[in-house]
Amino acid sequence: MTKEEIIQPENLVYKKPELLNDTPMHYCPGCSHGVVHKLVAEVIAEMGMQEKTIAISPVGCAVFAYKYIDVDWQEAAHGRAPALASAIKRLWPDRLVFTYQGDGDLACIGTGETIHALNRGENITIIFINNAIYGMTGGQMAPTTLLGMKTATCPYGREPALHGYPLKVTEIAATLQGTCYVTRQSVQSVAAILKAKKAIRKAFEYSMQGKGSNLVEIVSTCNTNWRMSPVKANQWMEENMFPFYPLGDLKDNG
Amino acid sequence: MTQEIIISGFGGQGVLSMGKILAYAGLMEDKEVTWMPAYGPEQRGGTANVTVIVSDEPVSSPILSSFDTAIVLNQPSLEKFEPKVKPGGTLIYDSYGINVPPTRKDINVYCIDAMDTAAQMNMIKVFNMMVLGGLLKIHPVVSLESVLKALRKTLPERHHNLIPMNEEALRTGMSIIKPA
Amino acid sequence: MDKEVTLMKGNEAIAHAAIRCGCDGYFGYPITPQSEVLETLAAEKPWETTGMVVLQAESEVASINMVYGGAGTGKKVMTSSSSPGVSLMQEGISYMAGAELPCLVVNVSRGGPGLGTIQPSQADYFQTVKGGGHGDYRLITLAPASVQEMADFVDLAFELAFRYRNPAMILSDGAIGQMMEKVVLPPFKPRRTEEEIMKECPWATTGRKGMRKPNIITSLELRSEEMEKINIRIQSKYREIEAKEVRFEEYMTGDADYLIVAFGSAARISKKVISIAREQGLKVGLLRPITLWPFPSKRIAELASKVKGILSLEINAGQMVEDIRMAVEGKTPVEWYGRLGGIIPEPEEVVAQLKKLFI
């Protein structure tokens, strides 16, 4: 059998989502971002929102998200994505508006914008990649870094006396009256990926139905800055991140 | 004609709204007007003042070093603005808040016992209109009709029942002002 | 219908003018002495009439980033604040200059530095015209001197901002913001439709209608060669603005022996100064820059060769005087006078300074 004979529509078992373009991603091999990008691209297309989506990328590893998913994008200043999204959604109520932010962007410098956008019940979705570290700048401590975890700025491990405690933004979000759907997911296995996709779809749909703000946290790995192989990183995440950041829906008012 | 007026007193005496009614009345007469408050925390309990300029010409500076007329309703205001009245200008004060009366001889000084009169007549709420009436008697910068029109324009409909009381206060002010 | 003449504060005029000029959204945060802008908008409820969005943000940082988001979709959006709040907005303003987004920022400025005072000041001149945020950029800056101009400049600022895809600033101060004057509000203009926005702003992120190429709003370009090209292009836009958009007013300059250059409230005071000075036999004229950037350097240079001296009257420690000196190039003495900390110089005091400095 030749390659040409194999490449036939009837043999197709998987294809790249149509909104994901051919630009080579700058993400490290093993990074969770690529998987989440794919899910977002699939959900937008499946909802038929290709022509009505305005997305906002953060500062951090996902700063270039706009290069990979073919929808309209705005690149925000560090932490400010929810402010952009709030205005855009109010000005264009029939558009699908979401932000895509990491833990440094969302849970640290942008805490104010995040909490207030969620609390105002803006009809947006925030996709929150939590890998407990600053990836783009080279592995510094994030607000979400676990106690004992070593990073470039807590090289001997995070200690409460020196660095304070890891922040559970999603738990906070669930207490806010403005949020509709708050969930924590992961993408380390096929089953997890399928669940995460459902969560993203639900969040996008609620936002289009005007039910309030939605937060989808994806507990993720940063194998490069965690200094592990991708497989080891997934294992470490399951053993160390999941107990502190337990998976599942925290709130579903939809 | 240009009248540059400073109105000064304690916050709560209705200094700013008196100025506002005067400015609105000027507007009714198609005059050029500027209302410039000393804004900020001074409004609450401290000294409040407002500059009102009513003119037939476009108004240049809203900030002035000297005034044609000063209306002072307490001692600190008198001390601050008596020196700033132009020679030949007018100073109007309410003796209720003044322990040490003005001393200048090169200006025209008038006294209006508006606070006492308003209290006697149970019209404290419109004390400021009484003072405004006094000013209009000395300097008819705008007509009484224009002031009443301004009141109708600026007061919310539900307060229009208070206009007769305001008018009474204006007329009372006109009758009780006297040279000091 | 007769012209609708009304009496209102400068801050209120900004709000009414915004509704009338077809503004799509206002995002702001309370700060003295400009809170009446948001208060007036909230009372007027334009979302029920023109459909304009009004939102009280959690901070000035959020406000300006809401403006960024809205501007990135081609909507006519604005914010207003006063000096400390505008300092907080500098990040967003720089990003908007970088992403070439049209918007309006109103600064009803007060005395600084720091929390300073709530009284009027022009000490934000440098911040505004030299670029308060990072990077090589300029803000188209209009300086109103009356409540009428507060109303008129809203539409003009939007027009310039959209013509050049650049943020525009109205630099006012607490005096102009808080004082009431007669104003004729501009006529109502409808807000643009979605189709009009997509046509006028083909760059805007409105959703990929018809699966057009995705639009990206960003100020990021990591390749230095490309970033230099972007900078050069933006600079050439600035040169065009400098050539075409200089605005100023002259008052009694024809026979003037001395020239005052002043903007905003200081220009109003200057007119009084001129009438007092002329009564005393001193022929003084005024050049009032209406655009602070682009600056009327050329006209100031022309007048410099006709007068015996120029006074820069500013409610700050001497900022615009540097631009005047650069324009004058030593042709005539250029002096500064001003008051600080929220004190506004009084006309007689300026006349005295004029005499002291030049005669």
Side-chain angles (χ1 to χ4, degrees):
Chain A
M1 222 181 207
T2 65
K3 196 169 87 181
E4 285 66 34
E5 284 167 337
I6 295 169
I7 304 174
Q8 293 297 328
E10 62 271 24
N11 294 331
L12 182 70
V13 289
Y14 176 82
K15 82 174 171 126
K16 188 165 71 70
E18 58 188 278
L19 289 178
L20 217 51
N21 60 36
D22 291 332
T23 311
M25 286 190 181
H26 70 289
Y27 300 115
C28 308
C31 174
S32 314
H33 273 304
V35 180
V36 183
H37 278 27
K38 188 196 77 163
L39 298 182
V40 168
E42 281 177 358
V43 170
I44 294 170
E46 286 165 17
M47 287 174 68
M49 295 302 285
Q50 300 90 319
E51 300 184 28
K52 285 201 157 185
T53 296
I54 305 169
I56 297 109
S57 74
V59 169
C61 283
V63 66
F64 287 126
Y66 58 77
K67 290 191 176 182
Y68 312 128
I69 303 173
D70 280 341
V71 293
D72 277 3
W73 283 91
Q74 292 194 25
E75 200 287 303
H78 201 17
R80 316 298 174 220
L84 274 66
S86 300
I88 295 169
K89 183 68 182 180
R90 281 173 186 250
L91 291 161
W92 300 84
D94 68 340
R95 300 307 200 263
L96 173 66
V97 180
F98 72 92
T99 70
Y100 187 107
Q101 303 173 258
D103 45 288
D105 189 86
L106 176 145
C108 203
I109 195 166
T111 318
E113 285 76 9
T114 303
I115 299 288
H116 285 281
L118 292 171
N119 196 43
R120 281 191 302 265
E122 304 289 353
N123 293 310
I124 59 169
T125 296
I126 294 179
I127 295 178
F128 167 32
I129 307 296
N130 177 10
N131 56 15
I133 205 157
Y134 281 82
M136 182 64 120
T137 43
Q140 295 84 6
M141 183 180 67
T144 46
T145 297
L146 298 175
L147 290 180
M149 202 174 153
K150 291 175 181 168
T151 75
T153 49
C154 53
Y156 308 106
R158 182 173 192 165
E159 273 182 60
L162 276 175
H163 313 107
Y165 297 90
L167 186 66
K168 296 183 176 186
V169 173
T170 304
E171 273 76 358
I172 296 172
T175 68
L176 304 175
Q177 278 183 287
T179 51
C180 170
Y181 179 49
V182 178
T183 186
R184 184 181 281 124
Q185 303 289 332
S186 65
V187 291
Q188 84 284 16
S189 67
V190 174
I193 290 170
L194 291 175
K195 277 177 81 176
K197 183 176 170 183
K198 272 191 191 146
I200 293 170
R201 169 112 194 202
K202 189 188 260 189
F204 281 5
E205 279 174 353
Y206 286 164
S207 72
M208 289 314 296
Q209 290 158 10
K211 288 183 172 170
S213 51
N214 307 281
L215 178 66
V216 180
E217 174 180 343
I218 313 275
V219 181
S220 305
T221 62
C222 179
N223 53 284
T224 299
N225 287 303
W226 290 2
R227 315 218 177 281
M228 295 172 195
S229 71
V231 174
K232 184 82 200 344
N234 273 336
Q235 198 186 331
W236 192 91
M237 173 177 73
E238 288 175 353
E239 287 167 6
N240 298 279
M241 298 271 281
F242 289 177
F244 191 76
Y245 299 114
L247 304 184
D249 291 350
L250 284 82
K251 181 179 188 179
D252 185 350
N253 284 357
Chain B
M1 187 229 44
T2 298
Q3 261 283 332
E4 296 171 335
I5 304 163
I6 180 91
I7 309 168
S8 184
F10 285 121
Q13 282 183 313
V15 162
L16 297 185
S17 55
M18 188 196 325
K20 195 166 160 181
I21 297 298
L22 177 58
Y24 258 107
L27 179 77
M28 297 296 158
E29 295 183 5
D30 212 20
K31 293 192 156 82
E32 298 297 327
V33 292
T34 293
W35 175 92
M36 177 73 218
Y39 59 88
E42 287 187 337
Q43 287 168 13
R44 292 165 190 88
T47 316
N49 71 64
V50 60
T51 302
V52 179
I53 305 169
V54 183
S55 179
D56 298 322
E57 311 285 321
V59 176
S60 58
S61 177
I63 310 291
L64 300 167
S65 345
S66 56
F67 302 90
D68 299 311
T69 301
I71 301 172
V72 294
L73 303 175
N74 63 13
Q75 192 69 38
S77 300
L78 174 70
E79 280 159 22
K80 189 166 178 189
F81 293 112
E82 184 186 0
K84 295 196 168 188
V85 178
K86 292 177 195 167
T90 303
L91 178 77
I92 298 171
Y93 73 96
D94 184 328
S95 55
Y96 179 82
I98 307 289
N99 312 317
V100 187
T103 53
R104 273 177 69 180
K105 300 293 171 213
D106 62 334
I107 56 175
N108 303 303
V109 181
Y110 295 87
C111 178
I112 181 165
D113 289 330
M115 188 57 92
D116 285 337
T117 311
Q120 280 160 22
M121 294 173 74
N122 202 17
M123 287 171 79
I124 286 290
K125 255 199 235 169
V126 287
F127 152 78
N128 61 346
M129 288 299 107
M130 217 171 264
V131 178
L132 181 58
L135 168 74
L136 295 182
K137 171 79 179 180
I138 308 303
H139 290 298
V141 186
V142 292
S143 70
L144 182 62
E145 289 68 44
S146 301
V147 174
L148 294 174
K149 256 165 96 183
L151 282 167
R152 274 193 288 274
K153 175 129 178 136
T154 52
L155 282 178
E157 200 89 26
R158 63 181 191 280
H159 289 149
H160 278 197
N161 57 333
L162 299 175
I163 289 176
M165 200 213 284
N166 278 275
E167 185 174 354
E168 196 188 343
L170 284 156
R171 290 188 190 281
T172 308
M174 286 175 154
S175 65
I176 61 170
I177 191 160
K178 56 180 192 295
Chain C
M1 201 178 100
D2 280 344
K3 272 189 198 163
E4 200 184 329
V5 184
T6 171
L7 188 69
M8 62 172 68
K9 287 187 174 192
N11 289 337
E12 294 164 345
I14 291 273
H16 286 285
I19 298 169
R20 284 165 175 257
C21 82
C23 179
D24 295 303
Y26 171 94
F27 307 91
Y29 186 80
I31 182 171
T32 308
Q34 69 78 49
S35 298
E36 291 87 353
V37 182
L38 176 55
E39 287 169 8
T40 304
L41 287 168
E44 289 295 316
K45 296 195 278 185
W47 52 91
E48 289 181 0
T49 51
T50 71
M52 176 183 175
V53 168
V54 178
L55 181 59
Q56 178 169 340
E58 62 271 29
S59 66
E60 288 88 351
V61 175
S63 309
I64 196 72
N65 283 285
M66 288 171 180
V67 169
Y68 179 110
T73 66
K75 294 271 186 177
K76 244 187 204 184
V77 288
M78 66 181 289
T79 185
S80 65
S81 189
S82 180
S83 310
V86 177
S87 291
L88 277 171
M89 291 183 180
Q90 293 304 326
E91 173 197 53
I93 292 173
S94 167
Y95 275 63
M96 270 188 279
E100 294 187 84
L101 296 181
C103 73
L104 168 59
V105 180
V106 180
N107 181 357
V108 183
S109 65
R110 59 190 243 187
L115 206 45
T117 164
I118 58 173
Q119 300 305 324
S121 169
Q122 297 183 325
D124 296 351
Y125 177 88
F126 278 156
Q127 184 195 57
T128 310
V129 305
K130 308 292 178 189
H134 59 281
D136 271 326
Y137 75 89
R138 297 290 190 171
L139 289 183
I140 300 165
T141 306
L142 298 167
S146 63
V147 174
Q148 185 63 55
E149 284 189 340
M150 288 285 255
D152 294 343
F153 286 0
V154 172
D155 192 40
L156 175 62
F158 272 125
E159 194 190 308
L160 293 171
F162 274 86
R163 190 182 304 159
Y164 295 102
R165 269 190 73 179
N166 204 71
M169 166 86 76
I170 290 179
L171 180 61
S172 174
D173 64 51
I176 306 275
Q178 289 296 326
M179 75 181 181
M180 288 204 294
E181 287 186 315
K182 269 164 69 167
V183 57
V184 179
L185 290 173
F188 275 98
K189 267 205 306 207
R191 287 171 56 239
R192 292 164 305 153
T193 62
E194 282 193 17
E195 288 66 34
E196 284 166 343
I197 290 172
M198 287 179 200
K199 195 161 164 259
E200 282 172 32
C201 307
W203 45 266
T205 55
T206 53
R208 303 174 58 191
K209 199 174 182 191
M211 289 309 276
R212 63 151 163 73
K213 201 169 145 284
N215 281 339
I216 311 293
I217 298 297
T218 182
S219 57
L220 177 67
E221 176 50 73
L222 292 178
R223 296 164 298 177
S224 295
E225 294 76 12
E226 293 304 313
M227 197 62 212
E228 186 182 45
K229 280 183 205 158
I230 292 169
N231 267 281
I232 289 170
R233 184 171 49 71
I234 291 177
Q235 289 299 323
S236 70
K237 173 174 89 177
Y238 295 157
R239 298 296 88 76
E240 187 189 342
I241 297 171
E242 284 169 340
K244 292 183 181 165
E245 305 298 348
V246 175
R247 286 167 168 78
F248 56 87
E249 179 203 347
E250 283 184 47
Y251 178 71
M252 305 189 94
T253 51
D255 63 343
D257 290 327
Y258 299 94
L259 181 70
I260 297 177
V261 180
F263 69 93
S265 312
R268 290 288 292 271
I269 297 160
S270 300
K271 289 191 178 173
K272 186 90 183 171
V273 170
I274 288 167
S275 75
I276 299 170
R278 283 185 178 255
E279 277 168 24
Q280 299 174 12
L282 259 183
K283 287 182 188 163
V284 184
L286 169 70
L287 183 135
R288 172 171 79 94
I290 291 172
T291 49
L292 297 180
W293 187 86
F295 193 66
S297 305
K298 208 174 129 202
R299 184 59 187 150
I300 290 173
E302 285 165 10
L303 290 171
S305 52
K306 296 179 189 161
V307 298
K308 296 179 201 162
I310 297 178
L311 178 72
S312 182
L313 180 66
E314 303 174 61
I315 311 174
N316 61 38
Q319 300 188 14
M320 182 174 68
V321 66
E322 293 187 6
D323 288 330
I324 299 168
R325 286 194 176 125
M326 244 185 319
V328 168
E329 292 181 310
K331 273 182 266 187
T332 192
V334 179
E335 302 289 350
W336 158 86
Y337 183 69
R339 295 293 298 269
L340 315 177
I343 294 180
I344 301 185
E346 291 175 356
E348 268 92 358
E349 130 186 39
V350 181
V351 175
Q353 281 297 323
L354 257 174
K355 291 184 184 165
K356 193 178 133 198
L357 289 166
F358 294 109
I359 300 162

